[in-house]
Amino acid sequence: MQPEPEIYKSSSVLKKRLWRNKLLYVMLIPGVLYFIIFKYLPMYGLIISFQDYKPYKGIMGSDWVGMKHFSRLFTEPDFLNILVNTLVLFGMNILIYFPIPIILALMLNELQGTFFKRTFQSLFYIPHFLSWVIVVSISFVMVTMDGGIINELLSYFGFKQINFLLDPGWFRPMYIIQVIWREAGWGTIIYLASIAAIDPGLYEASRMDGAGRIRQVWHITLPAIRGVIITLFILKIGSVLDLGFEHVYLLLNSMNREVAEIIDTYVYTAGLRQGQFSYSTAIGFFKSIVGLIMVMSVNKLSKKMGEEGVY
Amino acid sequence: MVHDKTISSRIFSAINFTLLALIALITILPIMHVVAGSFTTTAELAANKFVLIPKVWSLEAYKYIFSTNTIFKAMGVSIGVTVIGTFFSLLITSLMAYALARRDLDGRKMVNFMVVFTMLFHGGMIPTFLVVKELGLIDTYASLILPSAISAFNMIILKTFFQNIPDGLEESAKIDGCNDFGILFRIVLPLSLPALATIGLFYAVTYWNTYMNAILYLDDSTKWPIQVLLRQIVVLASGMDHSATLDAAAPPPDQTIKMAVIVVATLPILCVYPFLQKHFAKGAMLGSMKG
């Protein structure tokens, strides 16, 4: 951008410009109102985590209690447990789920002929558009002991039937399988886009040098999408405590609570079911701050390593 | 892409293709199983276990679920919320995106930052619930739409798209006496139909899949959209919290009935998907590359 001439900075010219664009400001009103009301007012509402909030007294009238709810976080065994559960699921997301779309995109890219490539892609994208309720429902009718196909197969091959829905040991595997089934295909889009931008000349040259297909993937395609991988990794890290409420809430029941309760579901139960507004807001606050710190620091780190970063 | 014809390359291709075909099957078989299962009888399902094309066709399950008007009502709520919500979201998202796409707008950086910041930090579930409650939206259909009316991500995708429309078009419209609303509605939006279709699909899917807003803000079960009803019928009945189902005394519904409800809750997406498939891949790439 060029430095603006001094004359444009004078207030009368600014006023003129503001007035000329008045209709654009009118267009902004609904959007800005939305963000103020539904995004920034809740941020203001975070102050109830420093209060003993009583709905009938409101934010102005409730008593201030300082860090009481935050110190409770770190002494409550319940909280430690949900933190561990959250981190375990997050770890599974990073270690098991994260590489899968990359591998899938590399495989799709190696497919010769557009017809199959397109067909596979269209099929892989579908589950992303199904809600968690639908995904969980589909897997429930498949694994139920009440005639579900998986248990029927198990007994057909002479194994014991498994109560996948109530066995706490099956909660984590079911969770990650559902994540992979729903998201892996959709996750390839961004990688495929950046693979498409690679200069074909690089492949030509490497073939001249006698590189096989696997070597080409390793030495050309993969390095070329390194930046995108790192960017997505940062975003993923930033969402460390943010696994999404719906999915886990749907899988949660009184038998698997010990391993399935995560921060989001706990905030819902403690806050809205048991009415501990201030305490559960403090938990949510903690979560948001950790997320913000994580995104900012990993972003900084990636810039230091010479990558682009997210912002 | 690469067309070398060496043996090792062909073996590589064959293995690659087989694996991908297998993954495609894993992706699609569960859906087909449920769809086929919903169109057969309970006896047939019990005998054949895995059904892909029913030998005995039956609408029994659908007759059963539509025998009361609970499902009709829930479908109506979902359809209404999806249609109205998508239209409303597209409108206010376009207005905001267009204003922010105009480089001569003073203060756009500030508003932009305000939007992006909400993607990094938010007040969380309870404070948002309290705002919705204070606004008197509890137990209203508006609570399924307003709290998530604009997705910051979609807004940025659309803004990027608008920015790529040549300025010259707007200039000449202005000379012809068009104001900013005229430019947006007569020139920019018609030129942006692929982008609008993409964003519209994203919004429509989100509204159709609305679940969390419903369980947070709707206590009145007669207002439930189809997704919440689906959870009642399938998830709770399959788990063990039978006390939480609609009717504690009733036995859990048959498999075919559960499958039929899943199909009904999925149907609109499966119908729209083939038509908009091309658009959204393009749109999502646009968003992910430049967003």
Side-chain angles (χ1 to χ4, degrees):
Chain A
M1 213 202 251
Q2 288 181 349
E4 293 178 55
E6 203 54 43
I7 173 171
Y8 285 116
K9 286 181 183 160
S10 73
S11 66
S12 71
V13 177
L14 182 67
K15 255 182 218 158
K16 231 182 205 165
R17 278 178 24 176
L18 291 177
W19 183 247
R20 198 186 61 210
N21 285 332
K22 59 186 180 300
L23 290 181
L24 293 180
Y25 291 106
V26 172
M27 290 182 188
L28 272 183
I29 291 173
V32 168
L33 274 180
Y34 166 78
F35 280 98
I36 290 175
I37 295 173
F38 290 106
K39 299 291 170 185
Y40 284 90
L41 269 184
M43 288 185 205
Y44 166 74
L46 283 172
I47 63 176
I48 70 170
S49 58
F50 302 103
Q51 299 179 327
D52 267 334
Y53 175 76
K54 299 276 182 294
Y56 57 89
K57 284 185 180 168
I59 292 183
M60 306 310 272
S62 294
D63 300 326
W64 294 88
V65 293
M67 300 299 284
K68 182 178 124 187
H69 299 294
F70 290 94
S71 46
R72 180 176 161 199
L73 282 188
F74 299 101
T75 48
E76 187 108 14
D78 261 9
F79 180 74
L80 207 67
N81 188 36
I82 62 169
L83 191 61
V84 170
N85 287 343
T86 311
L87 290 174
V88 168
L89 293 191
F90 169 72
M92 292 173 83
N93 264 300
I94 291 281
L95 295 176
I96 305 173
Y97 167 74
F98 187 78
I100 292 179
I102 303 173
I103 297 168
L104 208 54
L106 293 175
M107 287 170 73
L108 276 170
N109 183 54
E110 290 301 319
L111 206 59
Q112 288 165 349
T114 25
F115 172 76
F116 280 112
K117 196 171 165 182
R118 290 247 170 92
T119 313
F120 285 149
Q121 272 178 279
S122 316
L123 292 178
F124 292 165
Y125 295 158
I126 292 177
H128 173 77
F129 291 93
L130 309 184
S131 69
W132 278 121
V133 188
I134 293 169
V135 173
V136 169
S137 296
I138 290 176
S139 51
F140 274 25
V141 299
M142 289 180 71
V143 303
T144 174
M145 294 183 80
D146 197 17
I149 176 74
I150 304 286
N151 270 317
E152 294 294 333
L153 281 176
L154 282 178
S155 46
Y156 181 81
F157 289 110
F159 295 102
K160 252 182 74 182
Q161 297 211 339
I162 300 169
N163 197 340
F164 293 95
L165 307 179
L166 298 184
D167 182 348
W170 276 98
F171 166 76
R172 283 167 186 163
M174 287 234 306
Y175 166 86
I176 197 71
I177 289 171
Q178 286 165 353
V179 169
I180 293 167
W181 188 75
R182 183 174 189 250
E183 303 296 353
W186 185 251
T188 61
I189 285 192
I190 184 164
Y191 296 116
L192 286 171
S194 56
I195 289 174
I198 300 173
D199 174 10
L202 290 174
Y203 292 102
E204 295 282 341
S206 76
R207 221 157 348 126
M208 294 296 177
D209 293 342
R213 299 271 295 272
I214 293 178
R215 293 201 75 125
Q216 290 181 354
V217 171
W218 187 253
H219 289 295
I220 300 173
T221 318
L222 213 47
I225 61 173
R226 201 176 79 131
V228 179
I229 295 178
I230 291 179
T231 307
L232 290 188
F233 193 73
I234 293 172
L235 289 173
K236 195 96 194 158
I237 297 275
S239 65
V240 50
L241 301 180
D242 209 357
L243 298 164
F245 165 80
E246 282 186 36
H247 185 196
V248 175
Y249 178 72
L250 288 160
L251 292 174
L252 189 69
N253 57 47
S254 50
M255 300 295 286
N256 63 18
R257 196 163 295 278
E258 196 59 25
V259 289
E261 189 88 89
I262 59 165
I263 293 183
D264 287 310
T265 57
Y266 189 74
V267 166
Y268 175 73
T269 329
L272 294 183
R273 288 290 172 81
Q274 300 164 5
Q276 306 181 58
F277 288 104
S278 288
Y279 176 54
S280 52
T281 301
I283 302 177
F285 200 177
F286 170 81
K287 193 189 91 165
S288 291
I289 289 178
V290 172
L292 188 65
I293 292 174
M294 290 297 278
V295 177
M296 285 176 27
S297 42
V298 187
N299 197 46
K300 200 164 230 172
L301 197 70
S302 88
K303 276 186 181 160
K304 264 197 186 136
M305 284 161 56
E307 295 295 336
E308 259 185 61
V310 181
Y311 50 87
Chain B
M1 44 159 309
V2 200
H3 287 286
D4 61 38
K5 299 264 192 277
T6 58
I7 293 180
S8 69
S9 168
R10 284 183 182 194
I11 295 174
F12 177 89
S13 288
I15 295 175
N16 188 37
F17 180 85
T18 316
L19 283 175
L20 281 169
L22 209 67
I23 297 169
L25 278 181
I26 294 172
T27 308
I28 211 69
L29 282 184
I31 301 174
M32 289 181 68
H33 171 61
V34 168
V35 174
S38 73
F39 283 107
T40 191
T41 60
T42 312
E44 169 76 3
L45 191 65
N48 276 345
K49 317 299 183 213
F50 196 73
V51 199
L52 284 181
I53 298 161
K55 267 188 230 145
V56 185
W57 286 83
S58 160
L59 290 175
E60 219 177 86
Y62 290 93
K63 274 184 196 147
Y64 178 82
I65 64 172
F66 287 119
S67 63
T68 64
N69 61 15
T70 317
I71 300 246
F72 270 121
K73 178 91 202 302
M75 289 270 294
V77 172
S78 286
I79 292 170
V81 166
T82 303
V83 172
I84 297 170
T86 304
F87 179 77
F88 178 68
S89 289
L90 268 182
L91 179 72
I92 62 175
T93 306
S94 309
L95 289 173
M96 189 178 200
Y98 178 65
L100 290 180
R102 284 276 295 266
R103 287 183 183 79
D104 56 342
L105 187 79
D106 293 280
R108 63 192 275 268
K109 281 203 176 131
M110 201 185 74
V111 179
N112 232 335
F113 176 79
M114 179 182 147
V115 172
V116 172
F117 185 69
T118 63
M119 296 168 87
L120 296 173
F121 186 82
H122 42 82
M125 184 189 282
I126 306 296
T128 309
F129 173 84
L130 293 175
V131 167
V132 172
K133 196 175 156 213
E134 285 302 310
L135 291 170
L137 294 176
I138 298 296
D139 272 338
T140 65
Y141 294 125
S143 71
L144 302 183
I145 296 175
L146 291 179
S148 41
I150 300 182
S151 134
F153 183 73
N154 287 350
M155 204 281 289
I156 292 169
I157 293 180
L158 210 54
K159 192 189 74 174
T160 311
F161 194 91
F162 290 160
Q163 273 167 350
N164 290 336
I165 294 175
D167 290 341
L169 282 172
E170 297 168 11
E171 298 291 331
S172 58
K174 226 172 214 174
I175 291 166
D176 291 344
C178 233
N179 67 23
D180 288 316
F181 277 95
I183 297 173
L184 174 62
F185 286 103
R186 290 207 211 133
I187 296 170
V188 174
L189 289 185
L191 282 173
S192 311
L193 286 180
L196 290 176
T198 309
I199 304 297
L201 175 76
F202 285 156
Y203 276 131
V205 170
T206 311
Y207 282 120
W208 180 262
N209 287 341
T210 286
Y211 170 75
M212 189 174 156
N213 280 354
I215 67 159
L216 285 176
Y217 307 134
L218 297 182
D219 295 326
D220 179 358
S221 67
T222 62
K223 293 195 167 117
W224 278 345
I226 189 80
Q227 304 292 332
V228 182
L229 201 63
L230 177 61
R231 164 174 174 259
Q232 294 296 119
I233 293 169
V234 180
V235 178
L236 293 184
S238 302
M240 37 75 59
D241 294 332
H242 275 302
S243 55
T245 50
L246 289 172
D247 182 2
D254 285 338
Q255 284 279 81
T256 51
I257 290 168
K258 291 181 188 171
M259 288 173 170
V261 184
I262 296 176
V263 172
V264 166
T266 315
L267 199 64
I269 290 167
L270 293 182
C271 293
V272 184
Y273 182 78
F275 297 103
L276 289 157
Q277 212 254 97
K278 271 183 220 148
H279 291 312
F280 72 64
K282 243 182 247 157
M285 272 181 219
L286 183 87
S288 47
M289 298 296 280
K290 292 170 186 167

